[in-house]
């Protein structure tokens, strides 16, 4: 059996037997559906009246990826200009590709489309072997990267609930099935927002244009104590986020962290010696008490760093595009064979993509692995493998085949 036949067969099995009919797609009849087929084709402008109809289509045509529009249309099957846009959900896409992690260099590789040369880490402009420019990056859904993405999702949920006032019932969180998380906001209040309005929300969430140069402190001259923001309330919005963020940062800060930020040695010493006092004052008054030896420039640098830590790393173009097609919940991601899985907001800390997004739990498959880092499915750890034939549980084999790192073989 070829790898493509194997993948196709597993996807067909999933859509025929396991795709849940209680998958929630609000206003399903007003959305446009799009499908990527295994034959490298894209089918768009489809529409369905019920989830049963969707399932029937999925098990008949077995697409490799399934999408629907965040938008609602009067005529979802019409051409773009004639669809008549009625509104759209507010969507956030968090992808590990946008979050710097220390492990990228270990598990991400790139391949030359010309000569097949494989390199690791940052992709060069040209292939060092043949000077070809057709290079493609191959990422890996690793635990560290996915944990980093989850932390961003948790930060985003905090902003959406605390600052924007959305309730849990208006928010849905999903694991994307590959390297990130999707947050959907589904409610009347966001429906009519145009691209510009959505860009404002993006800017707020990602802290773009946030004032970190403490102009209000300069005006009053740098004395005794100052708040991190001009806003009076320290219990709300970015003001709280900066104050809380500074507390969290200082409570576990090491000399090395401060030096990496480019602080002078004496300033580092003073902060390390006086940090308990600074923390106590921050906690009691929400204000920063100035300390001798730490100038305004240093505080500004620190606030800027805290703002970066507190900002949410999202793929901004996804949120501002009011016609965007997004992956449909409970469908399979062809990059992994994992599901786009529902994440309970109240239990997000416990969500484990390598356990909760697994679509296949039975059977073993023999594969020849080209090159793969150590990985986990459920409680079982596999690899690292290099140029080896192994027999793996279906979900593990499918992951490697989907990532192009293994081929199905008949016999080990
Ligand atoms: Zn090459
Ligand atoms: Zn990683």
């Amino acid at each position: 059996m070829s790898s493509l036949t194997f993948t196709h067969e597993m996807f067909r099995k999933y859509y025929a037997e396991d795709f849940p009919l209680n998958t929630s797609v609000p206003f399903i009849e007003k959305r446009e559906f799009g499908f990527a087929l295994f034959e490298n084709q894209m089918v768009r402008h489809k529409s369905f009246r019920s989830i049963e109809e969707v399932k029937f289509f999925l098990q008949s045509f077995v697409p490799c990826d399934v999408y629907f529009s965040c938008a609602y249309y009067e005529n979802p099957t019409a051409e773009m200009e004639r669809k008549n846009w009625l509104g759209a959900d507010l969507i956030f896409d968090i992808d590990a590709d946008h979050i710097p992690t220390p492990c990228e260099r270990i598990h991400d590789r790139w391949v030359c489309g010309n000569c097949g040369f494989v390199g690791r880490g940052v992709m060069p402009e040209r292939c060092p072997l043949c000077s070809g420019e057709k290079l493609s990056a191959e990422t890996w859904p690793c635990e560290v990267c996915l944990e980093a993405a989850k932390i961003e999702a948790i930060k985003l949920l905090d902003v959406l609930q605390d600052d924007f006032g959305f309730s849990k019932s208006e928010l849905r969180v999903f694991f994307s099935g590959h390297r990130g998380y999707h947050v959907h906001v589904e409610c009347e209040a966001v429906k009519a927002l145009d691209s510009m309005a959505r860009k404002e929300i993006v800017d707020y969430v990602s802290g773009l244009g946030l004032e970190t140069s403490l102009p209000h402190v300069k005006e009053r001259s740098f004395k005794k104590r100052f708040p991190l923001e001009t806003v009076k309330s320290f219990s709300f919005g970015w003001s709280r986020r900066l104050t809380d963020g500074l507390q969290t940062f200082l409570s576990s800060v090491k000399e090395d962290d401060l030096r990496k930020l480019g602080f002078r040695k004496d300033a580092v010493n003073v902060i390390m010696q006086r940090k308990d006092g600074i923390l106590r004052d921050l906690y009691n008054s929400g204000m920063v008490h100035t300390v001798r030896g730490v100038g305004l420039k240093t505080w500004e640098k620190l606030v800027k760093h805290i703002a970066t830590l507190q900002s949410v790393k999202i793929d901004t173009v996804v949120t501002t595009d009011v016609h965007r097609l997004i992956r449909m919940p409970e469908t399979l991601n062809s990059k992994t064979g994992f599901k786009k899985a529902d994440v309970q907001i109240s239990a997000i800390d416990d969500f484990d993509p390598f356990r909760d997004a697994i679509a296949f739990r039975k059977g073993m498959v023999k594969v020849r692995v080209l090159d793969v880092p150590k990985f986990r499915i459920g409680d079982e750890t596999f690899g690292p493998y290099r140029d080896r034939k192994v027999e793996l549980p279906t979900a593990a084999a499918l992951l490697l085949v989907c990532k192009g790192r293994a081929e199905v073989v008949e016999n080990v």
Side-chain angles (χ1 to χ4, degrees), residues 54 59 69 90 116 132 196 235 244 252 273 276 337:
V54 177
Q59 66 190 50
S69 61
L90 180 66
M196 290 296 284
S235 58
D244 285 2
S252 64
Q273 281 163 18
D276 289 343

Side-chain angles (χ1 to χ4, degrees), residues 110-117 126-133 135:
W110 49 266
V111 182
C112 172
N114 190 35
C115 73
F117 184 82
R126 288 160 169 279
C127 170
L129 210 63
C130 73
S131 301
E133 290 178 42
L135 305 179

Side-chain angles (χ1 to χ4, degrees), residues 31-301:
R31 294 187 198 256
E32 177 199 352
F33 281 74
F35 306 91
L37 303 179
F38 278 99
E39 299 80 30
N40 275 328
Q41 270 174 297
M42 184 79 193
V43 179
R44 283 194 64 169
H45 312 298
K46 287 269 172 208
S47 127
F48 301 96
R49 279 166 302 181
S50 66
I51 201 77
E52 285 82 5
E53 272 189 22
V54 177
K55 185 181 165 104
F56 184 74
F57 182 94
L58 296 179
Q59 66 190 50
S60 313
F61 289 87
V62 193
C64 61
D65 292 287
V66 183
Y67 306 93
F68 64 45
S69 61
C70 65
Y72 312 111
Y73 301 105
E74 199 173 87
N75 312 305
T77 55
E79 301 164 39
M80 225 56 215
E81 307 75 52
R82 297 194 185 156
K83 277 186 172 10
N84 196 11
W85 190 85
L86 302 171
D89 301 330
L90 180 66
I91 305 290
F92 296 90
D93 178 22
I94 294 163
D95 194 300
D97 293 353
H98 297 107
I99 311 163
T101 50
C103 43
E104 285 165 340
R105 246 171 256 148
I106 302 165
H107 54 68
D108 289 356
R109 51 177 217 172
W110 49 266
V111 182
C112 172
N114 190 35
C115 73
F117 184 82
V118 176
R120 289 198 177 277
V122 182
M123 190 166 72
E125 296 260 308
R126 288 160 169 279
C127 170
L129 210 63
C130 73
S131 301
E133 290 178 42
K134 267 178 66 188
L135 305 179
S136 56
E138 289 182 6
T139 56
W140 182 253
C142 103
E143 305 224 21
V144 178
C145 289
L146 278 178
E147 194 55 35
K150 198 205 270 184
I151 288 169
E152 297 303 313
I154 292 169
K155 275 155 62 179
L156 176 62
L157 287 172
D158 181 69
V159 178
L160 293 176
Q161 291 177 97
D162 261 44
D163 297 14
F164 285 92
F166 292 117
S167 67
K168 274 198 180 71
S169 63
E170 294 167 320
L171 303 172
R172 294 169 79 197
V173 185
F174 301 94
F175 167 58
S176 73
H178 187 219
R179 299 233 307 149
Y181 288 84
H182 296 168
V183 175
H184 301 195
V185 185
E186 295 169 349
C187 68
E188 277 305 314
V190 303
K191 257 186 166 178
L193 297 177
D194 63 10
S195 269
M196 290 296 284
R198 287 166 203 248
K199 179 69 169 67
E200 293 286 335
I201 296 173
V202 164
D203 289 353
Y204 183 88
V205 163
S206 48
L208 200 78
L210 185 74
E211 184 63 83
T212 54
S213 63
L214 307 174
H216 57 292
V217 184
K218 279 175 208 152
E219 273 163 29
R220 272 185 264 159
S221 79
F222 185 51
K223 272 184 211 155
K224 275 189 169 170
R225 58 187 214 159
F226 59 87
L228 291 178
E229 274 270 17
T230 37
V231 202
K232 288 282 183 296
S233 160
F234 308 111
S235 58
F236 183 75
W238 268 100
S239 184
R240 166 176 77 79
R241 217 152 258 121
L242 290 178
T243 314
D244 285 2
L246 186 57
Q247 279 184 45
T248 312
F249 178 78
L250 284 179
S251 55
S252 64
V253 74
K254 306 267 184 314
E255 274 188 51
D256 228 28
D257 304 326
L258 294 170
R259 262 191 244 115
K260 273 186 204 145
L261 291 177
F263 289 5
R264 291 202 340 269
K265 194 168 185 296
D266 34 341
V268 173
N269 289 340
V270 173
I271 293 175
M272 292 311 288
Q273 281 163 18
R274 305 276 305 269
K275 73 169 188 170
D276 289 343
I278 300 171
L279 271 170
R280 203 180 316 117
D281 289 337
L282 251 182
Y283 183 77
N284 289 334
S285 65
M287 304 269 250
V288 174
H289 282 233
T290 55
V291 283
R292 200 186 287 271
V294 183
L296 184 60
K297 279 267 173 313
T298 305
W299 283 115
E300 285 177 339
K301 247 189 218 172

Side-chain angles (χ1 to χ4, degrees), residues 356-372:
D356 302 329
I358 301 303
F360 303 96
R361 299 183 187 278
K362 284 184 204 147
M364 300 292 283
V365 179
K366 291 168 185 173
V367 288
R368 198 169 86 82
V369 187
L370 308 170
D371 182 12
V372 82

Side-chain angles (χ1 to χ4, degrees), residues 294-336:
V294 183
L296 184 60
K297 279 267 173 313
T298 305
W299 283 115
E300 285 177 339
K301 247 189 218 172
L302 199 51
V303 174
K304 198 170 176 200
H305 178 63
I306 301 300
T308 310
L309 293 177
Q310 295 288 314
S311 68
V312 188
K313 281 81 190 164
I314 53 173
D315 183 351
T316 58
V317 296
V318 173
T319 306
T320 53
D321 182 354
V322 295
H323 298 285
R324 191 87 180 181
L325 290 184
I326 42 164
R327 191 174 294 282
M328 182 181 165
E330 299 299 330
T331 62
L332 300 177
N333 190 317
S334 70
K335 294 191 188 103
T336 55

